[in-house]
Amino acid sequence: MTKQDIYNKLVHTLPKECVLLDESLSKYTYTHTGGNADLFVTPTSYEETQTVIRFAREHNVPVTLLGNGSNLIVRDGGIRGIVLSLVKLTDITVTDTTITAQSGAAIIDVSRMALHHTLTGLEFACGIPGSVGGALFMNAGAYGGEVADVLASVIVLTEDGELLNLKREELELEYRNSSIATNKYIALEATFKLAPGEHEVIKAKMDELTFLRESKQPLEYPSCGSVFKRPPGYFAGKLIQDSGLQGKIIGGAQVSTKHAGFIVNINNATAKDYTTLIKFVQDTVKEKFGVDLETEVKIIGEE
């Protein structure tokens, strides 16, 4: 089945504006890099998402889930088959001390909603640039907090298109990983259990964390966020800095001069520039300190 055939079938079941052919993925990644998706599909409901997954399963079409592209590098060759984006699923609702958010909502917006309703527990997320789905996928965290601390349950879609409602205990949440990732589930919705707090205290904490992030991270350039996981007993940024790599440039990609754990796009970098620089950093740190740096950023697509 050609990509045109797939397109023709999908536009019969989804709104036409939700199915794009040969769409550049550089529009959807924080690094502003990446080749084309054969088909870029943005369903507007859980039912439409199920339809896409079941169609793909039936016709043996590969599906790649794209969050909001904040901790992602798409290679320059792009992605074959369907790239599924849930950016149109953004509802956030509050009931007493729980917040339920669809996976396309920004986790920052969920933390702001918590502040608005004087609920504490999500302050750590006020600077995480990812979507709720992405935050669930990798158990995102910052400044001593993580999704696992406040998550109550999720609704996911299996590879077969079956809807499951899972409790936090069933998700095997650990540092930068979850059973959502290992089972290739598609997260559709999360419910967070928070606690009543004081508005001024919550706001002060969020202001403090926002200041810390803005003062330490190179937000003035496109980047994929923190590139490497924290190696046991070390800090990735410190190892990179101590290796003399801060400011190192390959093509248009640079190890940030502000925070060595970030690689920024300073001059029309390609995904190849990024992956080449990542490998160079890994090799150098391994040679100097004997430490293996594992990527936190997800790298997908074809060369």
Side-chain angles (χ1 to χ4, degrees):
M1 185 180 284
T2 68
K3 57 188 174 185
Q4 187 65 55
D5 293 335
I6 298 167
Y7 174 84
N8 293 341
K9 286 184 178 295
L10 284 176
V11 293
H12 281 300
T13 54
L14 271 72
K16 198 169 184 178
E17 64 272 14
C18 295
V19 186
L20 301 175
L21 199 57
D22 289 321
E23 179 74 351
S24 172
L25 294 172
S26 63
K27 300 178 188 176
Y28 305 98
T29 62
Y30 273 48
T31 59
H32 299 171
T33 64
N36 289 358
D38 284 353
L39 294 115
F40 187 74
V41 182
T42 52
T44 62
S45 67
Y46 298 170
E47 293 72 27
E48 285 179 5
T49 310
Q50 273 184 298
T51 297
V52 174
I53 294 302
R54 286 172 174 164
F55 168 85
R57 183 79 168 180
E58 183 184 343
H59 296 281
N60 206 27
V61 178
V63 175
T64 303
L65 182 65
L66 187 73
N68 76 339
S70 59
N71 201 217
L72 180 75
I73 294 169
V74 177
R75 293 188 183 96
D76 300 313
I79 299 175
R80 306 291 70 82
I82 293 169
V83 172
L84 182 68
S85 170
L86 303 182
V87 290
K88 291 177 179 169
L89 301 178
T90 57
D91 286 353
I92 304 170
T93 55
V94 182
T95 309
D96 297 325
T97 58
T98 64
I99 296 184
T100 298
Q102 292 185 324
S103 62
I107 191 74
I108 289 174
D109 289 343
V110 184
S111 74
R112 287 174 183 155
M113 183 70 83
L115 168 65
H116 181 71
H117 288 270
T118 326
L119 296 172
T120 182
L122 268 172
E123 290 88 336
F124 74 89
C126 70
I128 295 174
S131 64
V132 168
L136 292 169
F137 186 85
M138 64 183 297
N139 186 23
Y143 300 112
E146 60 181 17
V147 165
D149 300 335
V150 288
L151 188 65
S153 62
V154 297
I155 294 176
V156 300
L157 200 55
T158 68
E159 289 184 290
D160 294 326
E162 181 189 357
L163 281 173
L164 300 178
N165 198 325
L166 302 174
K167 302 295 181 194
R168 185 184 71 83
E169 297 73 28
E170 300 174 81
L171 295 172
E172 298 165 27
L173 295 160
E174 54 190 53
Y175 177 65
R176 301 298 175 265
N177 198 16
S178 71
S179 65
I180 294 172
T182 51
N183 291 323
K184 298 180 180 175
Y185 292 150
I186 293 171
L188 296 177
E189 179 184 292
T191 297
F192 301 98
K193 181 66 176 167
L194 305 176
E198 295 179 40
H199 188 274
E200 288 311 311
V201 175
I202 298 167
K203 186 175 186 306
K205 183 66 174 175
M206 290 171 70
D207 288 346
E208 177 196 352
L209 296 183
T210 299
F211 172 77
L212 282 172
R213 178 170 177 266
E214 289 176 350
S215 61
K216 290 182 179 178
Q217 296 183 14
L219 304 178
E220 63 273 23
Y221 290 109
S223 85
C224 53
S226 182
V227 177
F228 302 102
K229 293 180 182 178
R230 187 176 66 242
Y234 297 92
F235 290 100
K238 179 89 164 62
L239 288 170
I240 296 163
Q241 198 173 338
D242 292 347
S243 299
L245 293 174
Q246 203 153 14
K248 171 70 179 174
I249 296 173
I250 290 180
Q254 179 191 51
V255 176
S256 169
T257 55
K258 192 171 183 180
H259 188 316
F262 287 68
I263 293 176
V264 291
N265 182 348
I266 59 166
N267 186 20
N268 298 315
T270 63
K272 186 67 175 173
D273 294 341
Y274 261 90
T275 55
T276 305
L277 185 51
I278 287 170
K279 179 75 166 59
F280 184 83
V281 168
Q282 288 173 317
D283 290 346
T284 306
V285 169
K286 176 69 171 175
E287 183 186 328
K288 286 188 180 291
F289 295 102
V291 177
D292 290 306
L293 287 182
E294 188 183 342
T295 52
E296 179 172 311
V297 64
K298 198 177 173 203
I299 302 169
I300 61 174
E302 299 184 357
E303 294 288 359

